[in-house]
Amino acid sequence: MARVSDIYGSMVFNEHTMQERLPSTTYKQLMKTINDGEPMDLEVANIVAHAMKEWAIEKGATHFTHWFQPLTGITSEKHDSFLDPCPDGRAIMSFSGKELIKGESDASSFPSGGLRATFEARGYTAWDPTSYAFIKDEVLCIPTAFCSYTGEALDKKTPLLRSMKAIEEQANRVLALFGEPHRHVVATVGAEQEFFLISEKDFERRLDLVLTGRTLFGYAPCKGQEMEDHYYGAIRPTVNEFMKELDDELWKLGVSARTKHNEVAPAQHELAPIFSVANRAIDENLLTMEKMRLLASHYGLVCLHHEKPFAGINGSGKHNNWSISADGKNLLDPGANPAENLRFLVFLASVIQAVDDYQELLRTTVASAGNDHRLGAHEAPPAIVSMFLGDELGGIMDALVANCEYEGCEHESMDLGVDVIPSFMKDTSDRNRTSPFAFTGNKFEFRMPGSSMNLADANTIINTAVAKSLKEFADALEGVDASEFEDAVRRHIRHVMHDHQHIVFNGDGYSEEWPIEAERRGLANHRTTADALPCMVDQKNIDLFEQFGVLSETEVRSRYEVELEKYNKVMNVECRVMKRLVRRDYLPAINKFAAEIARHMSDVRAVLPEADLSYQEARLKKALNGALVINGHLERLVELHTSACSVADQQERANMYAHEIVPVMAALREAVDKMEIVVAREYWPVPTYNDILFYC
Ligand code: ADP
Ligand code: MG
């Protein structure tokens, strides 16, 4: 077997390969573009393109593609071969700087939220030199941004890159105040990806899973997650094989997959990489998801990334670990004495201010039909954005607000009473698993994103909002006399903390009291996607995007429209699948079962008129009544769905789905599920939760 260090990054045109393959002047110029954002001229691009092509061909690539992330959130690619026929009948492999830098593609089939009329279908993809190119399935993939003919961003990456620039600029102003030279400042992200693996055989027989990614029906399994025996349990052999191949494939792509373990729910797992620069981390996460789906098929498995594939057991999230680093130094590292670490406190306070001020915007980035089932369902944070700081930082902040000396927090050592086990220092605070935005030692963990999401949106908002707080700090402090600097900094932090204290909540986010307390504090609580999305176009939020050149008002409005449409389309498909399944599968199955009992009863009666058939009669009545109730809900769903389809305004339509149709879908589901445990197994048309979740 190949050594990990030999295969790691072997399919990536990374800095090491660049240095090896490029003339040193070209390499230096490329690094200037990557690190300092300097524009690149065509001559340099030509040399880079040539080196990339030679490298890719050696690795067996025949095609190249501009790899981008349209507003659907998933990745897109169109393969072009390197082939260039010569007049003499032969062919050479060519790839120019122009082809590297810019691609043209028909944008008309990607969502644009009204930004592009179909007659102006032209769209451009532009190379993002800060994300490494890589080879996947014999194709050289060049990460790119995607925009319309008129220059508006049509993708997830462009605003993210713009937000990275914003936070770098403002963080450097702050660092300069602390006497530090200009640094390369980046947001860092580590995405913990949760997913389910189920057997292909079961999957194929569930139209709901195939078409919507989740089960629209299904009674709770006899055993759920109550034994807590799956979490961190031994990984089953097939899954283990899958994980091994996944690791190998990801390592080749330079994705530093590191931690993998079973999750709480049966058949649920998690994979976490070592963090990297935000835009690269997101590219890597998308690649990871793609590889998971693809490789699962090698083992007769299907990988589900939906936020809530199974009702009643935990859904899947994607924790977004976020920090900022300057030349590789983590700015959210509190150090040994955080109370005296003013620079750290400034960055910490800036994040608190950002999350509080833009809590609603942050909520919109995790709004989707799938995530609506997860947030607030006692398995993931509620739909209310709040922050957890822990005892030590909380204490420091309280002391700052109260303008008194921080007493300090005991750093205790942990002694297990067993001499052979070395003692270690205890963390100054326990973990809080219920907080949506928790400080976890030297980074923040945003836990609301759903497992299928592209994290670009969330990080774009975090970066931009933090850039704004940093800007306010720099604006206020620049020009302050050196002798007064420290006092002024403390004053600033005190004000920020005082004004934003209400977003800090260290208690149990799953408790029933919290939403009431949150409302008292004035925190937003948008329970559904339909409620959350309009916040995208609040003036305050548009202003934020425009102030930092992250999105224009037109771009924001188009994104709002795209998200609304996405939600409505998902809901529409779910309604259609539900109706189809009930009419064609579930009701006929119940009828068949009822007919069987009736037949059985009359058969018995014919030979044994005095037989006691009360049990059979009760069963029959239960089945018939079940069908009646199901039909009632079905008719109601048909009626509401038809009228939703005729509502032209997308927001109104979304409101109707969220508030009127979802409850009927739930009632219909419940009625069908009740029949699942009445009807004999052989009549039930689909594999049940017991079958799907506890395969070997
Ligand atoms: P847990 O399950 O306790 O949250 P994991 O080890 O599963 O912890 O995941 C932690 C994630 O946080 C990893 O992806 C890790 O790389 C990432 N991470 C650690 N430090 C940083 C940082 N400074 N910036 C961004 N992400 C980070
Ligand atoms: Mg985590």
Side-chain angles (χ1 to χ4, degrees):
M1 221 185 79
R3 289 216 332 242
V4 175
S5 54
D6 292 338
I7 61 167
Y8 191 80
S10 59
M11 291 301 194
V12 187
F13 198 71
N14 53 24
E15 254 172 68
H16 176 76
T17 315
M18 290 176 199
Q19 198 163 16
E20 220 174 53
R21 300 254 174 179
L22 294 171
S24 73
T25 45
T26 314
Y27 172 74
K28 277 186 200 135
Q29 276 164 308
L30 180 57
M31 281 300 126
K32 276 203 178 131
T33 303
I34 293 177
N35 293 331
D36 309 330
E38 282 190 17
M40 179 187 301
D41 64 46
L42 193 58
E43 215 170 298
V44 175
N46 272 327
I47 303 173
V48 176
H50 178 76
M52 250 189 207
K53 180 202 70 182
E54 292 296 308
W55 168 80
I57 290 173
E58 277 170 38
K59 301 264 176 197
T62 52
H63 290 68
F64 70 93
T65 182
H66 277 197
W67 190 74
F68 59 102
Q69 301 164 30
L71 297 178
T72 51
I74 53 178
T75 56
S76 289
E77 45 195 81
K78 179 185 98 192
H79 302 170
D80 283 303
S81 89
F82 292 124
L83 201 73
D84 195 0
C86 307
D88 63 0
R90 290 176 311 149
I92 54 164
M93 300 294 253
S94 80
F95 181 51
S96 68
K98 245 186 170 157
E99 288 172 300
L100 168 65
I101 293 179
K102 190 188 96 177
E104 208 181 309
S105 112
D106 182 350
S108 60
S109 295
F110 293 107
S112 75
L115 274 185
R116 160 209 42 66
T118 19
F119 58 86
E120 287 169 355
R122 223 190 275 264
Y124 293 108
T125 48
W127 179 34
D128 161 24
T130 63
S131 298
Y132 297 141
F134 55 89
I135 299 170
K136 179 170 66 78
D137 306 321
E138 298 171 5
V139 177
L140 169 66
C141 300
I142 298 148
T144 54
F146 181 46
C147 63
S148 72
Y149 182 63
T150 41
E152 276 107 0
L154 288 178
D155 67 349
K156 301 272 183 191
K157 188 189 267 264
T158 305
L160 176 68
L161 292 173
R162 292 173 182 161
S163 74
M164 303 269 290
K165 195 169 139 218
I167 199 169
E168 173 161 30
E169 256 170 46
Q170 301 306 327
N172 263 307
R173 288 180 64 198
V174 173
L175 290 177
L177 287 167
F178 284 93
E180 300 201 21
H182 194 277
R183 298 200 191 276
H184 182 41
V185 175
V186 292
T188 52
V189 167
E192 298 166 53
Q193 180 70 49
E194 290 184 335
F195 57 101
F196 279 82
L197 284 175
I198 64 166
S199 125
E200 227 162 28
K201 286 202 290 295
D202 292 333
F203 177 78
E204 281 161 5
R205 293 183 53 209
R206 299 272 327 203
L207 186 72
D208 46 2
L209 275 176
V210 173
L211 294 184
T212 72
R214 75 180 183 104
T215 52
L216 298 172
F217 300 96
Y219 197 84
C222 303
K223 175 182 163 184
Q225 58 195 46
E226 66 276 24
M227 316 281 288
E228 297 179 341
D229 51 355
H230 193 254
Y231 191 53
Y232 280 25
I235 301 177
R236 34 162 102 82
T238 349
V239 172
N240 214 14
E241 289 304 306
F242 160 83
M243 296 280 204
K244 274 197 225 155
E245 190 181 351
L246 181 62
D247 273 349
D248 279 357
E249 286 294 303
L250 291 177
W251 289 339
K252 282 186 209 161
L253 289 168
V255 179
S256 49
R258 202 172 83 125
T259 317
K260 50 189 181 183
H261 59 78
N262 285 354
E263 259 304 327
V264 176
Q268 192 186 28
H269 311 274
E270 179 185 300
L271 185 144
I274 296 175
F275 68 93
S276 50
V277 177
N279 57 321
R280 210 173 294 154
I282 288 158
D283 287 354
E284 290 178 0
N285 175 251
L286 293 166
L287 271 176
T288 303
M289 291 169 74
E290 185 181 324
K291 285 285 170 201
M292 281 177 173
R293 286 193 298 268
L294 195 80
L295 298 181
S297 67
H298 296 182
Y299 302 90
L301 300 170
V302 173
C303 176
L304 305 177
H305 283 130
H306 194 281
E307 279 75 21
K308 192 76 180 176
F310 305 99
I313 60 171
N314 281 4
S316 301
K318 177 148 55 195
H319 292 175
N320 184 83
N321 295 274
W322 181 95
S323 189
I324 345 177
S325 95
D327 284 348
K329 192 172 170 341
N330 185 353
L331 296 174
L332 287 178
D333 187 344
N337 192 356
E340 294 306 314
N341 189 346
L342 273 192
R343 194 193 62 192
F344 162 73
L345 291 176
V346 169
F347 279 94
L348 181 75
S350 299
V351 181
I352 295 170
Q353 179 183 356
V355 172
D356 185 26
D357 280 344
Y358 295 97
Q359 47 176 291
E360 289 180 295
L361 198 49
L362 214 46
R363 169 70 182 93
T364 66
T365 69
V366 297
S368 75
N371 222 17
D372 278 359
H373 298 287
R374 206 181 135 254
L375 297 178
H378 289 252
E379 55 168 281
I384 309 159
V385 176
S386 70
M387 300 176 85
F388 171 80
L389 294 182
D391 297 341
E392 183 169 26
L393 293 188
I396 293 171
M397 287 304 186
D398 289 346
L400 268 168
V401 174
N403 203 9
C404 59
E405 198 65 18
Y406 174 61
E407 294 293 330
C409 169
E410 285 282 302
H411 282 258
E412 283 174 55
S413 104
M414 180 81 107
D415 186 358
L416 296 176
V418 182
D419 289 344
V420 290
I421 298 180
S423 64
F424 51 87
M425 298 304 275
K426 250 167 80 166
D427 288 320
T428 50
S429 101
D430 197 2
R431 288 161 170 257
N432 179 317
R433 285 272 164 206
T434 65
S435 175
F437 211 106
F439 188 75
T440 49
N442 59 3
K443 62 182 167 19
F444 277 97
E445 186 171 350
F446 183 35
R447 298 180 175 134
M448 291 168 95
S451 49
S452 72
M453 288 176 171
N454 181 318
L455 290 177
D457 291 344
N459 288 297
T460 300
I461 307 303
I462 301 175
N463 294 344
T464 314
V466 174
K468 179 159 191 272
S469 334
L470 294 173
K471 178 178 186 301
E472 282 175 19
F473 175 83
D475 287 348
L477 273 284
E478 275 168 1
V480 169
D481 199 69
S483 60
E484 287 162 24
F485 180 69
E486 212 178 299
D487 281 346
V489 173
R490 283 187 194 281
R491 236 184 351 260
H492 184 91
I493 302 175
R494 187 177 312 132
H495 280 143
V496 170
M497 285 314 300
H498 176 267
D499 294 349
H500 299 282
Q501 263 187 109
H502 70 161
I503 194 86
V504 177
F505 174 63
N506 291 332
D508 178 4
Y510 295 179
S511 70
E512 274 166 31
E513 297 83 51
W514 172 229
I516 301 161
E517 161 71 8
E519 192 178 343
R520 198 190 54 74
R521 292 184 184 199
L523 299 178
N525 184 3
H526 299 294
R527 284 184 191 80
T528 71
T529 300
D531 303 327
L533 287 181
C535 304
M536 285 175 84
V537 289
D538 283 352
Q539 195 54 47
K540 164 184 170 181
N541 296 333
I542 293 177
D543 290 347
L544 173 76
F545 287 125
E546 291 211 308
Q547 183 182 2
F548 291 93
V550 169
L551 288 171
S552 67
E553 177 163 358
T554 321
E555 286 170 328
V556 178
R557 291 193 181 281
S558 76
R559 268 151 217 263
Y560 164 54
E561 234 175 85
V562 169
E563 290 304 324
L564 265 183
E565 274 181 28
K566 202 189 314 178
Y567 174 76
N568 289 336
K569 283 178 186 164
V570 170
M571 295 310 298
N572 178 47
V573 173
E574 289 196 354
C575 284
R576 296 183 67 184
V577 174
M578 266 197 141
K579 293 192 302 194
R580 192 74 54 94
L581 285 174
V582 169
R583 285 182 182 137
R584 300 198 45 193
D585 291 320
Y586 293 118
L587 281 176
I590 298 165
N591 291 342
K592 241 183 179 170
F593 173 65
E596 169 67 24
I597 302 181
R599 215 167 19 249
H600 168 73
M601 286 171 71
S602 67
D603 286 357
V604 173
R605 248 182 219 129
V607 292
L608 199 65
E610 71 278 19
D612 180 357
L613 291 171
S614 55
Y615 162 74
Q616 284 76 358
E617 194 179 318
R619 266 346 242 183
L620 178 57
K621 278 190 181 153
K622 214 169 187 164
L624 292 174
N625 186 51
L628 206 63
V629 173
I630 291 172
N631 192 53
H633 292 309
L634 175 67
E635 278 176 1
R636 181 84 186 117
L637 180 64
V638 171
E639 193 185 310
L640 286 172
H641 183 216
T642 312
S643 78
C645 292
S646 68
V647 175
D649 183 84
Q650 295 285 338
Q651 179 65 55
E652 260 178 56
R653 190 185 294 189
N655 292 345
M656 198 167 164
Y657 275 124
H659 303 304
E660 293 175 55
I661 299 184
V662 164
V664 178
M665 288 167 79
L668 176 57
R669 178 196 177 121
E670 198 187 322
V672 172
D673 290 356
K674 270 192 185 147
M675 283 298 103
E676 186 185 310
I677 50 165
V678 169
V679 173
R681 186 181 174 82
E682 63 181 289
Y683 291 92
W684 205 245
V686 296
T688 66
Y689 278 20
N690 278 330
D691 306 319
I692 301 175
L693 292 168
F694 298 93
Y695 66 99
C696 294

